[in-house]
Amino acid sequence: MPGIAVLGVQWGDEGKGKIAHLICQDADMAVRFNGGTNAGHTVVFPNSQIQAGRSREEKGESEFRFHLIPAGALHEGCIGVLGNGMVIEPFALAAELRMLSEQLGHAPQIWISQNAHMILPYHPIVERLEGATSELDTTAKGIGPAYRDKTARRGIRTGDLQNPEHLAALITQNLRREQAIFPDSDALRALDPVKLTKEILTATDGIQSRLTDTALLINRALDQGQPVVFEGAQGCLLDIDFGTYPYVTSSSATIGGVGVGAGVSPRRLERVIGVAKAYATRVGAGPFLTEDKSPLGERLREQGHEYGTTTGRPRRCGWLDLVALRYATRLNGLNELALTKLDVLTGLKEIPVAMAYQRGRERVEDFPTTLDELAGCEPVYERLPGWSERLNRCRSFDDLPRNAQRYVRFIEECLGTRVTVVSVGPSFSDTIWV
Ligand code: IMP
């Protein structure tokens, strides 16, 4: 059985959590390979699926909001793996496991890479201190500073939890370094390395036995024919290399991230599923050519509840950008697309879709990879006819109004990729398998 990647192909928040959770119904393992608590998953599913033995008649749904655990690990038979490419905030991980265990009625089964780096309390403080002079508008979770320590070869890994003395020495060294850079910071001065080490060891007491060589674990699972799903965080246009740099996150959100962040050869991936919203959103600063600042964009935000899961910030809203999606399709080698939130477009007379950009007299078909080139571009829209019917009861492609079907087929044709899943609401059941 092949590996399956589920990747965001816009600016994150495409609804990967729901899609990954759905795809993992038949998987033995769900792997996160990049990012950390900057990601936010929202998954809604019926209570009947939550606890084995609970009455099937029981109605109602539960909503899960979380940041670190792979969405697939909410299924009882699916093991969650936090890969080496992640940056893990140990207190957040412990709290998230507690919260999910209570809500699910059982503890999610997880393994954690001993080579994953940790976000420690000084990272978000440093990020905020630097933020005063930066326009990047990050989630302020310490992601950039933690990846920076990793690349500078002074990072602290989860494996260091197994050697308390070494851990204390590393924390002391790194904390002292930040305190020296920001001598006026009361927040940094208030941190004591010895106390911090003890707190981290106490908070992670229950998860230290779950540290392992996850690359070995994942490859063995694949060797045995077990279905393994790799869940991307953020999206293609936030990728550190291929996104709209520097308005990006600090990790690889594209297919290459699976290789470096999980230790799995790309040859082992047979299905690469891109997840795209039927329109577009971006949270945080940076280029967004199809952004609509008119009341129509506002309407998308309200209909689509476009507020960040992690920070609560309102998301910038706009229209589907096929130039950017072609770029993401090419970079990731997508062979499937999951289209989410199609229901949010109900009620629009026509739906603009960017087919190309115009830069002066030049028509640009390929997504420009520098900010300067992007800055001179204007989207060239084609307007597709809308529909007025609500979609939340549609359960098959044929149930969709004709113009909604056309919209989906149009995207498929433009991208040369099959749309295999259409999501028409937040719930597990609001899904059309095409
Ligand atoms: P960072 O990842 O916190 O460093 O933030 C860098 C940029 O990525 C900011 O614009 C964030 O808003 C954005 N970002 C990071 N994670 C997510 C996500 O999961 N969804 C959407 N945007 C994100």
Side-chain angles (χ1 to χ4, degrees):
M1 177 74 190
I4 303 168
V6 178
L7 306 170
V9 290
Q10 294 161 315
W11 282 282
D13 306 321
E14 298 92 349
K16 292 178 294 296
K18 172 180 167 173
I19 302 299
H21 179 252
L22 280 169
I23 302 284
C24 283
Q25 283 179 97
D26 303 317
D28 290 325
M29 198 174 264
V31 182
R32 270 278 305 268
F33 58 85
N34 75 311
T37 42
N38 49 351
H41 287 329
T42 305
V43 174
V44 181
F45 60 93
N47 289 337
S48 58
Q49 294 189 1
I50 293 177
Q51 265 182 334
R54 208 169 182 174
S55 160
R56 279 260 157 198
E57 269 76 52
E58 191 170 336
K59 290 277 183 288
E61 294 178 324
S62 294
E63 182 178 280
F64 296 82
R65 283 169 174 257
F66 50 102
H67 304 279
L68 290 169
I69 310 275
L74 266 52
H75 294 292
E76 218 172 340
C78 184
I79 294 172
V81 176
L82 284 74
N84 57 280
M86 289 185 74
V87 279
I88 298 173
E89 211 279 348
F91 299 101
L93 177 60
E96 189 167 303
L97 273 170
R98 253 195 324 275
M99 185 266 292
L100 287 178
S101 305
E102 276 167 27
Q103 233 186 321
L104 286 166
H106 65 87
Q109 285 259 355
I110 60 158
W111 289 102
I112 306 158
S113 167
Q114 54 206 8
N115 290 351
H117 283 246
M118 287 195 285
I119 297 183
L120 295 179
Y122 47 83
H123 287 127
I125 298 175
V126 166
E127 186 168 26
R128 274 196 296 275
L129 289 167
E130 291 173 344
T133 53
S134 146
E135 292 173 356
L136 293 186
D137 202 9
T138 70
T139 60
K141 297 288 177 188
I143 304 292
Y147 276 117
R148 185 165 72 203
D149 278 355
K150 170 179 176 171
T151 326
R153 294 164 293 183
R154 57 171 180 256
I156 306 182
R157 311 206 279 187
T158 56
D160 294 319
L161 293 166
Q162 286 163 330
N163 184 343
E165 268 178 36
H166 183 56
L167 177 69
L170 285 174
I171 291 180
T172 306
Q173 193 183 332
N174 281 348
L175 183 56
R176 296 278 179 256
R177 188 179 169 278
E178 304 298 358
Q179 285 168 334
I181 296 172
F182 298 102
D184 298 332
S185 165
D186 293 337
L188 282 179
R189 203 173 313 122
L191 292 176
D192 171 66
V194 177
K195 193 163 160 252
L196 185 56
T197 307
K198 275 193 196 139
E199 285 169 357
I200 293 168
L201 289 170
T202 307
T204 56
D205 192 36
I207 46 183
Q208 287 174 31
S209 61
R210 310 309 292 169
L211 296 171
T212 192
D213 175 354
T214 49
L216 181 64
L217 189 81
I218 300 165
N219 278 291
R220 287 220 170 120
L222 287 165
D223 290 344
Q224 287 164 14
Q226 294 178 6
V228 178
V229 175
F230 298 88
E231 300 182 16
Q234 291 80 48
C236 178
L237 298 164
L238 288 175
D239 181 276
I240 181 76
D241 285 281
F242 298 105
T244 50
Y245 192 89
Y247 300 97
V248 293
T249 190
S250 300
S251 67
S252 302
T254 41
I255 192 75
V258 176
V260 293
V264 171
S265 163
R267 285 200 297 129
R268 309 205 76 163
L269 300 173
E270 275 192 20
R271 290 174 69 190
V272 185
I273 307 171
V275 185
K277 241 176 235 181
Y279 48 100
T281 61
R282 174 166 202 165
V283 61
F288 179 10
L289 263 60
T290 60
E291 181 172 15
D292 189 331
K293 293 184 178 162
S294 81
L296 272 181
E298 185 66 33
R299 180 193 172 283
L300 287 174
R301 181 174 311 118
E302 294 316 313
Q303 300 266 112
H305 310 290
E306 296 295 354
Y307 295 88
T309 314
T310 300
T311 57
R313 289 178 292 176
R315 296 178 184 141
R316 300 156 64 193
C317 295
W319 307 108
L320 198 69
D321 183 341
L322 287 174
V323 186
L325 276 188
R326 277 199 301 270
Y327 175 68
T329 304
R330 181 170 69 242
L331 280 174
N332 291 302
L334 300 185
N335 49 18
E336 290 178 51
L337 193 73
L339 197 64
T340 61
K341 293 194 151 184
L342 188 64
D343 52 306
V344 174
L345 298 179
T346 286
L348 292 168
K349 234 174 146 180
E350 48 181 30
I351 307 166
V353 177
M355 304 298 295
Y357 302 148
Q358 194 73 37
R359 190 172 43 214
R361 293 179 170 206
E362 185 194 0
R363 187 178 162 99
V364 178
E365 305 271 352
D366 295 320
F367 190 76
T369 56
T370 68
L371 287 193
D372 277 351
E373 286 172 315
L374 263 174
C377 290
E378 288 290 333
V380 179
Y381 287 114
E382 179 151 342
R383 290 169 200 279
L384 303 184
W387 57 89
S388 55
E389 299 88 337
R390 293 184 61 188
L391 307 188
N392 57 335
R393 285 180 193 267
C394 298
R395 291 294 174 267
S396 76
F397 194 72
D398 291 339
D399 291 342
L400 289 173
R402 179 144 306 188
N403 285 346
Q405 293 186 14
R406 270 196 211 146
Y407 189 72
V408 176
R409 293 297 181 217
F410 183 82
I411 295 166
E412 279 188 327
E413 269 168 40
C414 292
L415 299 181
T417 306
R418 290 177 305 150
V419 172
T420 51
V421 185
V422 177
S423 174
V424 290
S427 188
F428 201 74
S429 53
D430 300 329
T431 308
I432 296 171
W433 299 90
V434 185

